[in-house]
Structure formats: structure tokens, C-alpha cells
């Protein structure tokens, strides 16, 4: 301690010592400020500190009071540690010892001892005992600020967290000492645990058991009576049956102590149980981000190269949050599954519903989530009608954010986001943009090399960093000292550390793999040439049945369950379970939540797959496809079934399932995934090529790939019978209209009318309505009016009133027609027509100077258009919004929309071809 100048003791009455002598300050606010900076561990804005400590002051007086307090505190600390910048204040960490930091460090240390948390080694007992001794009392006991409810709330929250951590430590100490027959120490910790919460019935029960095991039968019976009295007085309830049964056993003398457990070796580092080293800075950053979640949520990105330890760090953090009683849910993205629409979101939803009672989630949100989770019950009607897409995403977000009101804040973790499907990325973006008022921490990992600047995840990060709600943590490679620590923990000679660091470059994955391979070997062991050689040596030693199950698991290619891998491998239930136990012992797979399994490393799965013969791979893929197809309750798994049928060589079945997957993705507006599935169905020879090309053309139109859409429609037209030709010609006309090719659009509309048969009045009316808009763009106002007035179909009428509103000479008449268009579009569930009516109605209000109303309507149109994935019209709406915001004097927001509009306009149409009409789109 001689080297430490500032010592902070905050567990109990606060005490700050400088070189062993208590510091003297004449204001409690200085102590409060010092404690807050020490515990949060990060720079704080002056405004937030002023509001924390002087909530009743106006800004000017609060900042002045903060300046005086800072001056007092810096003087008491001899000018050191308090780092006051122009806008921020922080506490330097060099030469500072704080009991709160040491307390939590000791608790975290116990997770690195190479054994399950339910077991306790001698090193655990020492660390937990030291942590318990540091806890002199509740956080800042006896301290408070009468005039700052903000600080009192923060203090109460922190104190509650420390108490929960102490309670968990005392439980483990009592159980650990009891397992060794050390009943006196166990009773001491159990009694202290009970003082933290006299209503905690398990603590009463543990103390009864310990008294009985130590031979103090009378004390055990007294403890039961104390339990009965407290529960009756405070809660008016009797003890649980379990407690009463223990009481009867004590009375009868049958509550006998178990044989003392054999002491566990300390920190034995077997395969995949190595301590986490070299991550103190990153760990602190994660804890700070979690502690910094206030009324609003936050995003943390763990970024780095493959094998740097992002997943291990995040998993340790998830386990830490759960140990505090928080809800933490994890999902993982897999290479090769980028076409599985909402794959990561589905995994998160299932995780949240496992952690929380579904009764606590809004029924409307659960109903929307059932589109992705068939097990929740019948899905609601298709995504049609006003706001259907927004309700879907709101419902999904509502389920995922169900843990946001809990303490400590909930955590949603998505691993390997660089492999996420586009729909999941869109839903994640929707979620992150709605963290205001939702205290939850979203943690994602990605590989820097696979997440380029234009990746949607990076764009989302940039946007969130701008709001101050995001943080990027980039773990570095291990240093020589870190590798040496791992070598020492593995029980190997110190001379190996330098060599291992040089061989691996400090990449944690390589270091751990080499150490696992070295288990039981001499320090002069010759290092294999590559990590693949290490993994191959591990796979070679697997039993025959284990190898068969391993091959089936590798073919599944992701997390897998026992039943599916059993069906695929062809082995019996007992054989499969035994094989999975063997693979788990060997560190090849790991058992996760809900009985699911996953490969510990993607490289191990890839190697097992490559070393399975082609004939067996095809057989296994067919079995997997059959098993998944038999259990499929909807379209969510269709793409996985299709993939396995394709790899099994069964193209016809694969094509049919890819089409089903495309239709499912399209119904959820996962347009990119739908497009990929339809193309796959075509490539595999699906019989209905005309319908597939038409669907592909529809999706390419929304994406702004007009040349591609025209090619697809032309192919569909060539392969369609006369009954489908009119619909395709109509679509071709709409694409030409989007490109500003008015004469080609008119020609296509006429072709569509010519191809119509008898009894198709509804389509005839819709084509007439669309021709009216083209006529307007060509300057033929009378023709446009005549065509519009002829429309009688509901959807056509919506378009007719839309064009009549555009052409109206009087503002009141324009608004009347456009409001009628909007009502008709909503009643016919025509999202495209609804977007058009909202946009044109906004333009009408803008023309009359009603900017607020125009902005609201444009915002509604933009949200709906973005959900549909219509890139061209989204660009036009953002451009219109920029004009409105500029007129309203909101220049910064206007510029943000304008930049987005320019970026999207540049994507639309053919690359390198000037198409000015695309950029001119304002109304439609």
C-alpha cells in the first residue's frame, strides 16, 4: 500500500485517505462527487454532475456550485487526481485504491478458476472471503444529501447492487465451507447472509441445515421458529413445504451431514477453462457501459479480428449480469445463414421468452412476434393494411425490450453481427433507434475485417455514436506477460511463455489451442504448424460413434439439438447422448441453454465437415432436411430446409423450399433475403419460372434496380400465358414511369389494357389510374383528369383521387381529394398508395405554410416506405423532408436527411447512366 497515495473506502461509511491520513473537506457534496467519479470510473459532463448534485438550482448556479466544490476537492487532494476539463470531470486512476473496485475484482476472479460456478475451490474461498471482509457496511452507509434526490437514487441503486453481490458471495462461502465439513465458518457466513434479508427463506433453510449438520439440533429448531415468526409478521405467509420438511427431518434426527467433499484443485486449467487475462481495460469498459445505462439504453460494439476473444469477453459479461440477477439474452449469427430472414432476432425472442414470463409481455407484441415464432400460437393476419409493418417491428421490439425496466438493466447480446441477415440488421437498427426511455444494454460483436465502412451495422454505429449512446471496445492481442500468466495457470514451465507468444503473435484463440494441445506434455513439446493441425489431432481421437455424431453435427452447421443430430446420425438416443458427452469432454462442442449444443470453434466444425466424405455428407444433409421439414411449422425454417436439400443433391425439393422461404421473407418485408431465395429456386429448376421472375421483378423494383426489374418482367412475360400478361405489362409500365420514360410507360399500359380479358374491370381501372399519372407527367392535364375520373375500383380510386389532388387548382380541393385517396388506400390495404397520398398531402399542407402538419405526414410516409424497402421513393421523401426542415429552420436535421437522400438516389437506376428523372421525383 506504500505506493498508493489515495485510498477510498466506500463500502460502509465513506472514508478517503491521502497517504494514510483522512482528507478534510467542509462540504458533503465534495465526498459525494468523489464517490460518484470513483464508482462510475469514466469522465462525466459538468452539466450531468451539476444536475446530479444540485437538481433544484438553475443551470448557471448549479455549474457555479460545481466549480466551488471541485476547487474544494482538488485542494483536499493536494491538486491530484481530479481531472477537470472544460466540459467534463473525471478521476485519475493511477495511485488510487478503492474498496468497491477490489470487491468486484475478487468476485470476478472466481470465474477464472477453471470450474463451474456451482463448485468452489480453495482459491474461491480465499477470494470470496476477502471480498466479504472488505464489505464493512452498505455502500456509503449513513451518508446522504438531503437536497439531491438524484444522488440519493443513484446511491440506493449502487447499494442494492453491492448487497446482492455480497449475498451471492456469502451463499457460496457458506456452501463451500459446508462441503468441506467446516461448519463453524459456514454458519458464520450463513448468519451474515440472513442479516442482509431476514425474509429470504432459503437463507433460513441453509442455516437450519448447517446447525443440524454441526450437531446443534436445538439451534436448528430455533432457526425454524424464527423463520416462521418473521414470515408471519412481515408477509402473513407460512414457510414453504421444503422448509417444513427440513424442520421435521431435524426433529426426527434424520438431517445428517454429507461426507466432506474432496478438496478441489485450485485453478486447474483444463481444455477451454483458461482464465481470462489481459482484458482488465475492456472488462472495466463493459461494466461502465452497463452501469451507465440510465433512463435510456446504450449500444456497445466489441470489434476485432477473428480469434481475439470478443465472444469470450461478451459471454463472461453476460454471465456476470445474470449473477447480479439481471436478464441477459444471447444470440449468435452464423456464416452461411445470411439468407435466413430474422435468424438472430428469432433466437433473441426465444431467449427473452425463456427468461421472462410471457404473461408480462404485451399480448399485441406477442401476437406480432408469433409471425417469427409459430410456437406462440396462430400468427395475426398478413402484413397488410395501414401501419402493419410498423406494428410488426414494434411488436418484436416490445418483446425484446421487455427486460428494459428491470434492475440491473437487461442485456441483449448478438455475436458475429457481420454474418447477420439483412432483416435482422434492420430489426436491430429499429431497436437501437428506440432506446430512449428503455434502459437496456445491447452488445454486439463483429470482425473488423468483415464489416467494411458501408456495412449496415457500421452505419448504425456511426448514427448511435453521434447521439452519445454507443461505445466501441477493441480488444488487443495478448502481451508477453498475459501469455506467461496463461502458461503458469496451465501448470507449464515459465520458459514456454516467450516461445508461445512468438509463435501465436498473442492471438488468444491460438494461445488457448496450443495450451490445450500441450496438456500433459513436456515443455519442450514441438508446436504443430497450424491450428488446423491441433484441431485435427483432437478430432482423430474421437470414438467411432462420436465421429458419426460429430459429422452429423458439422452438417447441421450451427447450434443443434439432441433430437435433430440423433435423427441425422442414425444412432440411438443413448448412443447420441453419450457421444455428445464425449465431444463436450474433449472440448469440441459445448452445451448451451435449453439443451442446445454448439461447436466451440467454427474451425473445428469446418474441419469435421471437410473430412466427412461427399457421399456421407449428402446422406446427412438429406436426413437433416427431412427432419426439419417434418417439424417445420411455418416459413421461418424454410431456407434452412432448402439449403440442406440442395446440399443433399435433391434439387426439386430444394427449389420448392427456396420458393417457400422467399414468400415467407417477402411477407415480412425481408426483401434482400426473399430475392436471394427466389434466385436460388430458379437456379435449381423450379417449374413456375414466370411467377418467380415476376416476384423477382417486384423486389428489384423496390430496390431501385430498374434495369434488372425490366429484364425479369420481360422474361416473365415471355413465359406467361395470356392470363398473366396484363399484370406483367402493367408492372413494366410502372417501372418505366419511375424512370421518367413516359412514352414507354404509356405504351406498356396500352399493352396491358389490350391483354385484359373479360371481367377484369378492377385491373382495367387501376391501369387507367396509373395512366392518369403518366399523362400528368407528360403535361396532358385533361387526359389525366378524364382517366382518373373513370376509375371505379377501390385501389384505382385511391390513385384517381391522388392524381386529382395533384391536379387540383384550389388548395381545399387538393386536400379533399388527397384525404379521400388516403382513406381509400387504408381501406384497401394498399401500402404504396398510402405512401403516395401521405406524401402528396404533405406537399399540399406545405404549399399553405403548414410546416408542422407537413412534417408529420412526411414522417409517416417515410417510416412506411422504409419498411416496404422502396428505395427510390424513400430517397424522394427524405429530400422532401429536408426541404421542410430547412424551411422550418432546422438546418442540421435537414442536412442529415439530404445526405441520406443523395446516397439512396445514387443507388437507384443503372450505374454510370444519367437518369435525371429519377432525381426529380417529388410527387407520385
Amino acid at each position: 500500500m506504500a505506493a498508493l497515495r489515495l485510498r477510498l473506502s466506500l463500502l460502509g461509511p465513506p472514508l478517503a485517505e491521502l497517504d494514510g491520513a483522512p482528507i478534510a473537506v467542509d462540504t458533503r457534496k465534495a465526498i459525494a462527487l468523489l464517490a460518484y467519479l470513483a464508482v462510475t470510473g469514466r469522465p462525466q459532463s459538468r452539466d450531468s454532475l451539476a444536475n446530479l448534485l444540485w437538481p433544484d438550482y438553475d443551470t448557471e448556479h448549479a455549474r457555479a456550485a460545481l466549480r466551488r466544490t471541485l476547487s474544494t476537492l482538488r485542494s483536499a487532494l493536494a491538486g491530484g487526481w481530479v481531472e477537470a476539463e472544460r466540459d467534463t470531470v473525471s478521476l485519475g486512476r493511477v495511485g488510487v485504491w478503492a474498496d468497491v473496485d477490489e470487491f468486484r475484482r475478487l468476485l470476478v476472479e472466481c470465474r477464472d478458476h477453471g470450474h463451474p460456478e456451482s463448485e468452489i475451490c480453495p482459491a474461491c474461498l480465499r477470494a470470496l472471503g476477502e471480498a466479504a471482509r472488505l464489505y464493512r457496511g452498505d455502500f456509503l452507509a449513513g451518508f446522504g444529501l438531503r437536497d439531491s434526490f438524484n444522488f440519493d437514487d443513484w446511491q440506493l441503486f449502487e447499494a442494492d447492487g453491492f448487497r446482492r453481490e455480497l449475498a451471492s458471495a456469502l451463499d457460496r462461502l457458506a456452501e463451500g465451507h459446508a462441503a468441506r465439513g467446516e461448519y463453524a465458518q459456514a454458519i458464520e457466513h450463513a448468519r451474515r447472509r440472513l442479516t442482509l434479508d431476514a425474509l429470504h427463506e432459503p437463507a433460513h433453510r441453509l442455516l437450519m441445515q448447517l446447525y443440524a449438520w454441526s450437531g446443534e439440533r436445538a439451534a436448528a429448531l430455533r432457526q425454524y421458529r424464527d423463520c416462521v415468526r418473521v414470515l408471519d409478521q412481515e408477509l402473513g405467509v407460512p414457510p414453504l413445504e421444503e422448509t417444513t420438511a427440513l424442520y421435521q427431518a431435524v426433529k426426527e434426527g434424520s438431517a445428517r451431514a454429507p461426507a466432506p467433499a474432496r478438496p478441489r484443485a485450485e485453478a486447474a486449467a483444463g481444455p477451454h477453462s483458461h482464465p481470462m487475462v489481459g482484458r482488465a481495460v475492456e472488462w472495466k469498459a463493459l461494466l461502465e457501459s452497463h452501469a451507465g445505462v440510465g433512463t435510456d439504453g446504450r449500444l456497445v460494439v466489441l470489434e476485432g479480428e477473428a480469434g481475439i476473444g470478443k465472444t469470450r469477453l461478451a459471454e463472461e459479461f453476460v454471465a456476470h449480469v445474470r449473477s447480479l440477477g439481471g436478464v441477459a439474452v444471447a444470440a449468435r449469427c452464423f456464416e452461411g445463414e445470411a439468407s435466413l430472414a430474422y435468424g438472430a432476432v428469432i433466437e433473441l425472442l426465444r431467449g427473452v421468452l425463456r427468461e421472462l414470463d410471457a404473461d408480462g409481455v404485451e399480448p399485441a407484441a406477442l401476437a406480432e412476434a408469433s409471425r417469427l415464432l409459430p410456437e406462440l400460437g396462430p400468427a395475426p393476419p398478413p402484413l397488410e393494411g395501414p401501419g402493419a409493418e410498423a406494428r410488426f417491428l414494434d411488436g418484436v421490439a416490445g418483446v425484446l425490450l421487455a427486460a428494459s425496466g428491470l434492475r440491473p438493466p437487461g442485456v441483449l447480446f448478438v455475436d458475429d453481427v457481420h454474418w447477420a441477415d439483412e432483416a435482422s440488421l434492420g430489426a436491430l437498427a429499429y431497436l437501437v433507434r428506440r432506446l430512449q426511455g428503455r434502459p437496456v444494454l445491447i452488445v454486439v460483436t463483429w470482425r473488423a475485417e468483415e464489416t467494411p465502412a458501408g456495412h449496415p451495422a457500421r452505419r448504425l454505429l456511426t448514427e448511435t455514436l453521434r447521439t452519445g449512446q454507443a461505445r466501441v471496445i477493441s480488444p488487443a492481442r495478448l502481451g508477453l506477460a498475459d501469455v506467461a500468466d496463461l502458461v503458469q495457470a496451465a501448470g507449464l514451465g515459465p520458459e514456454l511463455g516467450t516461445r508461445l507468444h512468438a509463435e501465436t503473435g498473442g492471438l488468444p484463440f491460438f494461445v488457448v489451442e496450443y495450451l490445450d494441445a500441450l496438456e500433459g506434455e513436456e515443455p519442450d513439446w514441438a508446436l504443430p504448424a497450424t491450428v488446423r493441425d491441433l484441431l485435427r489431432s483432437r478430432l482423430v481421437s474421437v470414438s467411432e460413434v462420436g465421429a458419426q455424431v460429430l459429422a452429423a453435427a458439422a452438417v447441421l452447421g450451427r447450434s443443434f439439438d439432441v433430437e435433430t443430430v440423433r435423427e441425422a446420425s442414425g444412432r440411438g438416443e443413448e448412443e447420441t447422448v453419450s457421444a455428445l458427452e464425449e465431444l463436450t469432454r474433449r472440448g469440441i462442442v459445448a452445451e448451451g441453454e435449453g439443451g442446445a449444443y454448439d461447436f466451440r470453434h467454427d474451425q473445428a466444425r469446418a474441419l469435421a465437415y471437410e473430412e466427412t466424405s461427399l457421399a456421407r455428407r449428402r446422406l446427412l444433409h438429406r436426413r437433416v432436411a427431412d427432419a426439419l421439414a417434418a417439424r417445420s411449422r411455418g416459413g421461418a425454417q424454410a431456407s434452412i430446409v432448402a439449403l440442406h436439400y440442395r446440399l443433399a443433391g435433391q434439387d426439386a425439393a430444394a427449389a420448392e423450399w427456396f420458393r417457400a422461404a422467399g414468400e415467407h421473407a417477402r411477407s415480412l418485408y425481408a426483401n434482400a433475403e426473399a430475392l436471394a431465395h427466389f434466385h436460388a429456386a430458379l437456379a435449381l429448376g423450379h417449374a413456375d419460372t414466370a411467377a418467380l421472375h415476376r416476384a423477382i421483378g417486384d423486389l428489384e423494383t423496390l430496390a431501385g434496380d430498374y434495369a434488372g426489374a425490366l429484364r425479369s418482367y420481360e422474361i416473365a412475360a415471355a413465359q406467361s400465358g395470356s392470363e398473366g400478361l396484363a399484370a406483367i405489362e402493367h408492372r413494366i409500365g410502372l417501372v418505366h414511369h419511375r424512370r421518367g420514360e413516359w412514352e414507354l410507360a404509356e405504351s406498356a399500359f396500352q399493352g396491358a389494357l389490350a391483354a385484359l380479358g373479360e371481367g377484369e374491370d378492377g385491373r382495367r381501372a387501376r391501369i387507367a389510374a396509373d395512366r392518369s399519372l403518366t399523362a400528368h407527367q407528360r403535361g396532358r392535364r385533361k387526359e389525366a383528369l378524364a382517366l382518373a375520373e373513370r376509375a371505379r375500383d377501390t385501389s384505382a380510386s385511391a390513385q384517381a383521387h391522388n392524381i386529382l389532388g395533384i391536379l387540383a387548382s384550389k388548395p381545399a380541393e387538393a386536400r379533399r381529394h388527397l384525404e379521400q385517396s388516403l382513406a381509400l388506400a387504408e381501406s384497401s390495404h394498399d401500402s404504396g398508395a398510402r405512401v403516395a397520398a401521405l406524401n402528396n398531402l404533405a406537399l399540399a399542407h406545405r404549399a399553405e405554410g403548414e410546416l408542422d402538419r407537413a412534417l408529420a405526414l412526411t414522417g409517416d410516409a417515410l417510416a412506411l416506405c422504409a419498411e416496404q424497402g422502396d428505395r427510390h421513393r424513400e430517397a424522394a421523401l427524405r429530400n422532401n423532408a429536408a426541404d421542410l426542415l430547412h424551411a422550418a429552420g432546422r438546418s442540421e436535421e435537414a442536412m442529415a436527411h439530404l445526405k441520406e437522400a443523395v446516397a439512396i438516389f445514387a443507388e437507384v437506376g443503372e450505374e454510370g447512366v444519367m437518369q435525371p428523372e429519377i432525381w426529380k421525383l417529388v410527387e407520385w
Side-chain angles (χ1 to χ4, degrees), residues 581-598:
E581 289 174 344
E582 177 192 359
L583 296 174
T584 303
R585 284 196 308 272
R586 293 182 181 277
I588 299 170
V589 303
E591 187 173 8
E593 295 177 352
Y597 287 83
D598 190 16

Side-chain angles (χ1 to χ4, degrees), residues 724-743:
L725 190 57
I728 297 172
E729 287 286 358
H730 188 188
R731 284 170 163 81
I732 290 172
L734 292 171
V735 173
H736 283 305
H737 179 91
R738 283 172 175 255
R739 287 161 57 124
E741 298 164 344
W742 315 123
E743 292 185 6

Side-chain angles (χ1 to χ4, degrees), residues 4-24:
L4 300 175
R5 296 188 58 208
L6 178 61
R7 182 184 178 94
L8 301 176
S9 301
L10 305 176
L11 294 174
L15 175 63
E17 297 174 303
L18 186 60
D19 285 338
I23 66 170

Side-chain angles (χ1 to χ4, degrees), residues 593-794:
E593 295 177 352
Y597 287 83
D598 190 16
F599 282 86
R600 285 189 177 274
H601 304 298
D602 289 329
Q603 292 90 334
R605 188 208 63 80
L607 185 60
Y609 186 82
E610 290 169 14
E611 300 201 343
T612 303
S613 69
L614 177 59
R616 177 158 289 278
R617 268 188 266 170
R618 287 194 166 190
L619 170 65
L620 292 171
H621 278 298
R622 181 183 60 75
R623 288 177 176 174
V624 169
D626 289 344
L628 294 177
R631 295 202 294 268
S632 179
R633 295 180 57 189
Q637 285 254 299
S639 64
I640 298 297
V641 176
L643 178 65
H644 284 294
Y645 273 130
R646 187 179 70 184
L647 293 172
Q650 302 203 355
D651 291 354
E656 195 55 51
W657 278 95
F658 270 124
R659 179 175 179 174
E663 295 294 352
H664 176 71
R666 190 181 184 186
S667 73
L668 298 172
Y669 289 92
N671 295 345
E673 291 79 5
L675 199 56
H677 295 324
F678 288 143
H679 276 301
L682 273 178
L684 291 168
H686 195 284
D688 196 353
T689 55
L692 285 170
H693 279 293
R694 187 171 65 187
I696 289 170
D698 292 345
L699 293 167
E700 288 170 332
T701 300
L702 290 173
D705 180 7
Y706 295 147
L710 287 174
R711 283 194 299 271
S712 296
Y713 287 144
E714 293 292 354
I715 295 171
Q719 297 176 349
S720 290
S722 58
E723 68 280 357
L725 190 57
I728 297 172
E729 287 286 358
H730 188 188
R731 284 170 163 81
I732 290 172
L734 292 171
V735 173
H736 283 305
H737 179 91
R738 283 172 175 255
R739 287 161 57 124
E741 298 164 344
W742 315 123
E743 292 185 6
L744 290 174
E746 175 67 20
S747 175
F749 289 143
Q750 288 177 351
L753 289 170
L756 284 173
E758 294 294 328
E760 294 191 75
D761 294 340
R763 182 170 294 280
R764 192 180 305 278
R766 289 193 290 277
I767 295 171
D770 289 328
R771 281 184 69 199
S772 70
L773 188 55
T774 301
H776 162 60
Q777 297 289 1
R778 298 174 70 191
R780 289 151 58 174
R781 186 174 186 275
K782 288 185 178 179
E783 181 182 349
L785 281 167
L787 287 166
E789 288 168 348
R790 261 192 309 210
R792 292 292 179 267
D793 174 83
T794 304

